[in-house]
Amino acid sequence: MLLYVDKKKLKRHKIKIICITLSWILIILANIICFKTALHHTSQTLTTYTTLQKKQDWYNNADIVTIFSEKQNKTIKAIIIPKQINRENVLTIALAFSNLPRRNTRLVFANDAPQKQLLQKLGTIFIQASADETPQNTIIITTDINNVISLINEYKLYPNILNHKQSAKLQSIPSIQQLLNQHFPPRAQPQTPQEQQLHAIQNFANTYHTDLQNLINTSPPTIKFTAQNLILQNLGVCISSADQTACSVEPDNSLQQNIRIALASLNAQIPQKLFLLTTLEEIPANTVLADNDGLFFRYGLKKTFILPQKKAQSSNNTNIYAYLKQQAGLNPDYQSPDMKFYKFKTTEININDNI
């Protein structure tokens, strides 16, 4: 008996199977890529940034707070707080404290807990301490889960994550509002684009103060640039030692590159202060500068500058323009259309908090 085989049909069947297989592979790859894109990517240089579009003002500065409690009776044993303390994170910590028993509760702050005095004041808003009562509940406050990992395993604690959006209702409590305004005074809304950028730089510096200090000391920090402050990753910088200041303001360089160039120009002197600069704004010569304006001079390859802190020592703007030309090796009275003057504003960070 002869068996007839339709080779064309068999070939079409194989092609169909191959196409279906390739389609599934492409679908799987697309899902993997989308999943990775949804996460915050960590760069191997300095920055971590996300392309997620968030319209909330608090998104850039807010971190989560994690409560660890027993499963059965919900007794809280530990709270993991952010390393950076700012207005947004204090509100989220306040939300965690609001879940604690008002009586017979004692807060124990680990050595790594930042701004303990502020957090203790925040705790007194929600916890009523009494000298006649012995605290029955001890809550450990720390930024590192490794400090309480044994406690978590012993009591089989379960995590509960809190975010800043959940804590928005606490802003209306007068005692919390007063505490926040005392430690984080609300700033007036900046008017000019340069003032708006300075405001963003100040928020960035407050949030990543420790990371920027570590960066100068060659530790490997992780600084997060989000879609809202991504422009800050190319900030110009100045770094000063006891008797010298070096700057790097090239807009094509990253923040990390500008810091490295400025450090190299200090010739191994110990850095003391870091200045983050706004974008340079070109101005005509002899323009009257504000008190918080610095001045940058460029003529060909010659570059000189004066920071607002040093400029404040001179009350004559004309002398400042002549001074920068003289520092560049030019006659103070020399004029050329190729001369360029730029103003900028700075945010100052102490590299060594003991200074």
Side-chain angles (χ1 to χ4, degrees):
M1 179 179 178
L2 295 176
L3 182 63
Y4 175 73
V5 177
D6 190 342
K7 293 184 178 181
K8 290 184 178 180
K9 185 177 181 180
L10 184 61
K11 186 176 181 180
R12 288 195 300 269
H13 182 66
K14 288 182 178 179
I15 293 174
K16 184 178 179 181
I17 292 175
I18 292 172
C19 290
I20 293 174
T21 304
L22 289 174
S23 298
W24 276 106
I25 292 174
L26 289 174
I27 291 173
I28 293 172
L29 287 175
N31 277 277
I32 292 174
I33 292 172
C34 290
F35 176 72
K36 286 185 176 181
T37 304
L39 299 177
H40 290 181
H41 292 189
T42 301
S43 169
Q44 294 181 359
T45 55
L46 166 71
T47 60
T48 303
Y49 66 92
T50 173
T51 56
L52 295 177
Q53 297 296 323
K54 296 287 184 179
K55 295 183 179 179
Q56 293 88 345
D57 294 335
W58 52 263
Y59 175 73
N60 288 336
N61 301 322
D63 296 303
I64 62 170
V65 172
T66 305
I67 294 176
F68 281 93
S69 59
E70 297 181 27
K71 185 176 182 181
Q72 298 297 331
N73 54 18
K74 306 297 182 182
T75 302
I76 298 174
K77 295 289 186 182
I79 301 176
I80 311 299
I81 63 174
K83 293 181 180 179
Q84 306 292 342
I85 295 298
N86 53 36
R87 191 181 187 94
E88 291 78 11
N89 289 341
V90 168
L91 269 176
T92 312
I93 295 171
L95 179 63
F97 287 175
S98 68
N99 288 278
L100 301 176
R102 292 190 60 83
R103 306 182 67 87
N104 298 330
T105 299
R106 181 168 67 100
L107 300 180
V108 176
F109 295 92
N111 293 331
D112 63 336
Q115 299 195 29
K116 295 184 181 63
Q117 291 184 350
L118 168 60
L119 297 181
Q120 286 170 349
K121 291 179 182 177
L122 186 65
T124 58
I125 296 175
F126 299 96
I127 300 171
Q128 295 179 351
S130 175
D132 301 332
E133 297 176 346
T134 302
Q136 298 178 356
N137 304 310
T138 299
I139 317 298
I140 299 177
I141 313 297
T142 180
T143 63
D144 188 357
I145 192 174
N146 292 319
N147 292 335
V148 292
I149 196 70
S150 58
L151 190 69
I152 293 173
N153 293 331
E154 179 183 354
Y155 290 94
K156 296 181 173 55
L157 303 179
Y158 283 77
N160 180 21
I161 296 176
L162 307 177
N163 61 49
H164 177 71
K165 190 174 182 179
Q166 297 169 301
S167 65
K169 59 184 179 181
L170 297 179
Q171 295 188 77
S172 59
I173 300 177
S175 54
I176 293 181
Q177 193 175 47
Q178 182 180 0
L179 187 65
L180 289 174
N181 292 337
Q182 179 183 351
H183 288 82
F184 310 100
R187 294 187 180 93
Q189 186 66 24
Q191 301 299 321
T192 67
Q194 196 174 59
E195 288 175 339
Q196 291 175 357
Q197 188 187 27
L198 179 64
H199 181 69
I201 292 174
Q202 289 170 340
N203 288 336
F204 175 77
N206 290 334
T207 303
Y208 298 104
H209 181 272
T210 302
D211 293 324
L212 289 165
Q213 286 179 319
N214 292 338
L215 180 58
I216 302 297
N217 297 322
T218 66
S219 297
T222 299
I223 295 181
K224 180 170 65 176
F225 290 96
T226 63
Q228 287 72 21
N229 62 15
L230 193 59
I231 191 174
L232 303 183
Q233 69 175 339
N234 299 107
L235 289 178
V237 302
C238 290
I239 301 176
S240 66
S241 62
D243 54 5
Q244 184 182 355
T245 300
C247 295
S248 178
V249 295
E250 297 303 324
D252 294 332
N253 291 343
S254 67
L255 173 61
Q256 184 182 23
Q257 289 171 326
N258 280 330
I259 288 177
R260 286 178 177 174
I261 293 171
L263 279 174
S265 301
L266 284 181
N267 300 320
Q269 295 189 35
I270 298 176
Q272 293 183 350
K273 294 181 183 293
L274 169 67
F275 301 89
L276 300 179
L277 277 58
T278 60
T279 303
L280 301 181
E281 180 181 336
E282 186 174 352
I283 57 175
N286 300 326
T287 299
V288 177
L289 301 172
D291 292 339
N292 62 342
D293 282 337
L295 189 63
F296 184 83
F297 171 66
R298 188 195 302 267
Y299 179 56
L301 297 178
K302 299 179 183 295
K303 302 175 186 177
T304 55
F305 59 89
I306 186 170
L307 294 174
Q309 292 77 3
K310 188 172 182 180
K311 181 181 68 67
Q313 301 172 8
S314 174
S315 59
N316 192 325
N317 279 280
T318 305
N319 288 344
I320 294 174
Y321 288 87
Y323 168 78
L324 289 185
K325 288 191 283 186
Q326 190 173 15
Q327 289 293 104
L330 301 173
N331 188 311
D333 298 324
Y334 179 72
Q335 300 292 333
S336 171
D338 295 328
M339 287 182 177
K340 303 294 182 182
F341 289 97
Y342 306 86
K343 69 176 183 178
F344 59 88
K345 300 182 187 296
T346 65
T347 294
E348 179 181 333
I349 298 172
N350 279 335
I351 298 171
N352 184 347
D353 283 331
N354 294 324
I355 296 175

